[in-house]
Amino acid sequence: MSNFEFAVPTLFGLEGIAGDELRRLNTENVRVENGRVLFSGDESALARANMNLRTGERVLLVLADFKAATFEELFQGVYHANLEDFIPKNGAFPVKGHCLNSQLMSVPDCQAIVKKAASKRLGEKYGVSWLPEDGEKYQLQFSIMNDRVQLYLDTSGVGLHKRGYRAIGNDAPLRETLAAAMVMLTRYRGREFVWDPFCGSGTIPIEAALIAKNRAPGLNRRFAAEKFSWMDAQIWRDARGEAIDKEFKGDYRILGSDNDPKCISLAMANARKAGVEKLIQFKDGDATKMSLPADSGILICNPPYGQRMMEQRSAQRLYEALGRHLKFADGWSKFIITSEPEFEHYFGRRADKKRKLYNGMIKCDYYMYTDNSRRK
């Protein structure tokens, strides 16, 4: 087994949660930074991270880390990376990346330089003047920030938020990684009643069910590294078997409701794809009028934002109505994400705690109203 360095990019605000996930997986040398988490490990750690991470966007293997303020320095840094240890003679190695606050700011030019340097290195190591690139894909990525270059090999392929259960979403889908983080921040462990009154395509209830069952989010999908020539297929079989062995069995009380019947149909279809349709009830209902489904529980929701789906004033009226409806729901802890800066004013109560999160490119706050009688 080898020892590698990995980087896991995350949505802003989720770094600490992803770091905790990696520590629970017993990975080594976990370090949390802005927008990502770093860790060390072997091929088995690579597979387990891809299979089990709920809040990471992908698992990148670090190939090189160096300073570059010129194209020549970029070329030399890539050229001296041991790419032949990871990319076979016929491997396809497309390049993509981003630049920020650096001397090198032209992404297309940097892509061309990285590709040229990688091609020269691999051609010399394999003793050929032309690389066919007709084999499996080995996606190279680069990040250039403050003149620091990091070169990666993407081991995930499709982003980890793509669990495989949501082919399409509603008009404002919530990324699965963010929905999982929202559930995890409630400290839900499967015992309480969970209700999402704005369930849309069902992402929050589905992620809650996966968390309650302790089901690995990547169990039913494939990863780019499964086709890497240096990855033993048995490692992936072991990772899947380990994940299955850790699943819980039980009955859980999870409800998703929405006032759009089309959303309910879509959510039910997505739950079936995720294999949790027996754990979640979906039904039509207006969040500001329907009866509470239980005396106590956890409410988690992503209501419409004014800038996104409704006029801002319409969204504010919705928050006012929701606040009035839930004013005496004392047995319920409430967790609500929105970009509305005056949400607490319209909802009618200051949150016990709030946390900055990003829903895509939208800066939001996650307002947490805790039922202190049940959460000491």
Side-chain angles (χ1 to χ4, degrees):
M1 289 286 186
S2 304
N3 193 60
F4 306 118
E5 285 295 308
F6 297 98
V8 177
T10 71
L11 298 176
F12 285 109
L14 305 191
E15 302 93 337
I17 303 173
D20 289 341
E21 285 194 86
L22 286 165
R23 293 184 187 97
R24 286 194 293 271
L25 291 172
N26 296 318
T27 53
E28 301 174 356
N29 198 21
V30 176
R31 293 98 72 202
V32 174
E33 298 184 354
N34 286 336
R36 68 177 188 170
V37 183
L38 306 174
F39 72 98
S40 306
D42 57 14
E43 292 89 341
S44 179
L46 181 163
R48 285 188 287 109
N50 272 298
M51 192 77 60
N52 292 281
L53 278 176
R54 300 185 190 279
T55 58
E57 293 301 310
R58 57 184 64 246
V59 180
L60 304 174
L61 192 157
V62 181
L63 301 175
D65 189 336
F66 56 93
K67 287 283 189 177
T70 68
F71 287 131
E72 178 61 24
E73 289 173 339
L74 176 61
F75 181 94
Q76 291 299 327
V78 175
Y79 175 73
H80 285 96
N82 296 328
L83 302 180
E84 66 279 3
D85 292 344
F86 304 97
I87 303 174
K89 184 176 180 179
N90 70 332
F93 53 101
V95 176
K96 62 183 179 181
H98 64 270
C99 308
L100 182 66
N101 298 331
S102 300
Q103 296 295 312
L104 302 176
M105 289 297 291
S106 171
V107 172
D109 287 340
C110 291
Q111 283 178 296
I113 294 296
V114 171
K115 183 71 176 184
K116 183 178 179 180
S119 298
K120 182 178 181 182
R121 170 85 186 199
L122 292 171
E124 290 178 357
K125 291 298 179 179
Y126 291 123
V128 296
S129 59
W130 177 77
L131 295 163
E133 294 196 58
D134 57 0
E136 297 296 344
K137 181 179 177 180
Y138 295 76
Q139 177 71 60
L140 293 179
Q141 291 195 23
F142 64 85
S143 167
I144 305 178
M145 298 181 64
N146 300 313
D147 297 329
R148 178 188 176 190
V149 180
Q150 289 195 311
L151 182 67
Y152 308 111
L153 177 64
D154 180 9
T155 72
S156 300
V158 176
L160 296 183
H161 69 279
K162 297 285 189 180
R163 320 289 205 214
Y165 64 74
R166 193 173 72 180
I168 56 174
N170 59 343
D171 290 339
L174 189 72
R175 183 166 285 206
E176 294 89 332
T177 43
L178 178 57
M182 289 168 59
V183 175
M184 294 166 76
L185 285 169
T186 72
R187 300 183 181 179
Y188 171 62
R189 297 293 185 272
R191 294 184 293 272
E192 301 92 341
F193 196 115
V194 168
W195 175 34
D196 177 3
F198 301 93
C199 73
S201 58
T203 309
I204 291 175
I206 292 170
E207 291 297 322
L210 294 174
I211 288 170
K213 281 185 64 64
N214 198 37
R215 174 172 292 175
L219 191 62
N220 296 324
R221 56 157 286 176
R222 296 292 172 177
F223 305 93
E226 292 188 67
K227 296 183 178 180
F228 289 177
S229 59
W230 45 272
M231 282 288 293
D232 187 343
Q234 186 60 45
I235 291 174
W236 293 98
R237 287 193 288 269
D238 290 345
R240 286 192 167 86
E242 178 185 282
I244 292 172
D245 289 342
K246 290 182 176 180
E247 281 194 16
F248 302 145
K249 294 183 180 179
D251 296 321
Y252 307 101
R253 298 171 297 161
I254 303 172
L255 171 66
S257 61
D258 201 286
N259 63 358
D260 184 346
K262 292 182 179 179
C263 286
I264 296 300
S265 296
L266 179 58
M268 293 173 67
N270 288 340
R272 284 194 294 271
K273 293 174 187 174
V276 294
E277 72 278 10
K278 294 181 180 179
L279 307 180
I280 309 171
Q281 179 187 5
F282 291 103
K283 68 178 183 180
D284 297 345
D286 184 332
T288 65
K289 297 177 181 178
M290 63 185 294
S291 300
L292 296 177
D295 292 334
S296 63
I298 302 173
L299 181 149
I300 315 171
C301 66
N302 173 42
Y305 311 160
Q307 67 184 74
R308 189 178 56 159
M309 293 175 61
M310 306 169 67
E311 291 295 330
Q312 186 175 23
R313 185 55 192 144
S314 296
Q316 291 165 351
R317 286 194 293 268
L318 173 64
Y319 303 150
E320 289 175 335
L322 184 64
R324 287 194 299 270
H325 186 58
L326 298 176
K327 185 175 182 178
F328 300 106
D330 295 333
W332 285 79
S333 295
K334 309 162 193 75
F335 297 81
I336 304 168
I337 189 171
T338 176
S339 63
E340 170 55 61
E342 298 297 323
F343 172 79
E344 291 166 303
H345 168 73
Y346 294 106
F347 190 67
R349 178 184 162 190
R350 291 187 63 84
D352 298 309
K353 187 177 180 182
K354 62 181 179 180
R355 182 168 180 150
K356 291 192 181 302
L357 298 175
Y358 279 79
N359 185 359
M361 297 302 294
I362 304 173
K363 184 178 179 180
C364 298
D365 281 297
Y366 193 38
Y367 295 90
M368 308 179 191
Y369 298 87
T370 306
D371 173 17
N372 295 318
S373 67
R374 295 169 54 247
R375 294 182 168 274
K376 294 182 179 179

